């Protein structure tokens, strides 16, 4: 085997099958999982508490806004009833006051919506960090090399199909509950 071309051919004949088998061996060791963070948030005890707190906050604000809206409707009704009896100047004054109240109500409703969006974002950001930690713990314990966000009907659906055996969501819920009491 002094000929370099023959030696190279011999080397390739031996090396190619080894290289072809190597990825298969690595692929057999490679484990992948999926997790649905939205489900973790909704099914875990800490997540439920946080969502319930957010719902209560929304409910209180909505009741306040509903009461203000009811007051505005009553004032509008009174204004329409009194309009024939009022002078043009008085009517104009009351309409201006009413429009200012409506604008104030709309501003409060808009502020509430912005505040709610901010609170929701903060909640999701905070819990996604915690869910990521729980997911990493579960993955490391199970020898999982890659975990993909499964998504859900409420969020962007990333995974189209997966076997139930690689869904780590329930395990992540348990780990999340264990670490976030």
């Amino acid at each position: 085997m002094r000929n370099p071309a023959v030696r190279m051919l011999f080397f390739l004949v031996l090396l190619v099958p080894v290289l072809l088998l190597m990825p298969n061996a690595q692929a057999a060791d490679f484990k992948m999982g999926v997790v649905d963070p939205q489900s973790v948030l909704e099914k875990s005890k800490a997540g439920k508490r946080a969502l319930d707190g957010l719902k209560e906050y929304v409910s209180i604000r909505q009741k306040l806004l509903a009461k203000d809206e009811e007051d505005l409707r009553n004032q509008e009704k009174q204004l329409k009833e009194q309009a024939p009896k009022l002078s043009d100047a008085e009517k104009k004054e009351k309409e201006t006051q009413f429009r200012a109240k409506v604008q104030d109500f709309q501003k409060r409703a808009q502020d509430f919506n912005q505040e709610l969006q901010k609170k929701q974002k903060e909640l999701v950001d905070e819990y996604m960090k915690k869910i990521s930690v729980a997911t990493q713990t579960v993955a490391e314990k199970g020898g999982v090399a890659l975990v993909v966000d499964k998504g859900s009907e409420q969020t962007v659906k990333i995974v189209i199909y997966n076997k139930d055996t690689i869904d780590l969501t329930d395990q992540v819920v348990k780990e999340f509950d264990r670490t976030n009491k």
Side-chain angles (χ1 to χ4, degrees):
M1 281 219 234
R2 293 187 183 216
N3 185 342
V6 172
R7 222 181 323 165
M8 179 61 92
L9 183 62
F10 181 73
F11 180 72
L12 286 175
V13 167
L14 289 176
L15 183 62
V16 168
V18 170
L19 288 175
L20 289 174
L21 290 175
M22 227 171 154
N24 288 337
Q26 288 177 343
D29 292 341
F30 182 80
K31 287 176 73 177
M32 181 177 168
V34 295
V35 69
D36 181 357
Q38 181 73 28
S39 288
V40 174
L41 186 60
E42 292 170 355
K43 292 178 180 178
S44 66
K45 293 173 187 168
K48 285 179 186 176
R49 279 194 306 272
L51 290 174
D52 288 347
L54 186 63
K55 285 178 188 175
E56 183 179 336
Y57 171 81
V58 168
S59 176
I60 290 169
R61 297 287 191 205
Q62 284 177 334
K63 285 177 185 175
L64 291 172
L65 286 174
K67 184 186 179 314
D68 290 348
E69 186 177 9
E70 175 89 21
D71 291 347
L72 283 174
R73 290 187 193 282
N74 290 337
Q75 288 177 6
E76 181 181 34
K77 184 179 176 184
Q78 287 175 350
L79 184 61
K80 285 181 180 179
E81 290 172 356
Q82 294 173 354
K85 302 171 191 167
L86 299 173
S87 68
D88 287 343
E90 290 174 323
K91 187 189 293 184
K92 189 172 186 175
E93 173 71 23
K94 291 205 180 255
E95 287 174 350
T96 302
Q97 290 173 352
F98 180 73
R99 274 195 296 276
K101 289 179 181 181
V102 168
Q103 287 176 344
D104 182 50
F105 170 77
Q106 290 172 338
K107 172 90 170 86
R108 279 195 321 274
Q110 184 180 19
D111 289 347
F112 165 67
N113 286 331
Q114 288 174 346
E115 190 178 328
L116 177 60
Q117 288 175 351
K118 181 182 173 192
K119 281 191 175 292
Q120 285 174 326
K121 183 185 181 323
E122 288 170 356
L123 178 90
V124 168
D125 290 349
E126 176 189 347
Y127 276 83
M128 277 307 297
K129 289 175 188 171
K130 293 176 180 180
I131 290 168
S132 293
V133 170
T135 301
Q136 182 177 351
T137 302
V138 168
E140 288 173 354
K141 285 179 183 175
V144 176
L146 175 70
V147 179
V148 178
D149 183 335
K150 182 178 178 180
S152 66
E153 299 304 321
Q154 295 88 2
T155 63
V156 178
K157 194 127 174 118
I158 297 168
V159 175
I160 296 171
Y161 169 78
N162 65 276
K163 288 185 175 185
D164 288 340
T165 56
I166 68 165
D167 192 335
L168 305 174
T169 303
D170 290 338
Q171 295 171 48
V172 172
V173 168
K174 289 175 186 166
E175 177 64 22
F176 188 82
D177 280 340
R178 188 183 70 74
T179 57
N180 296 283
K181 295 186 180 196

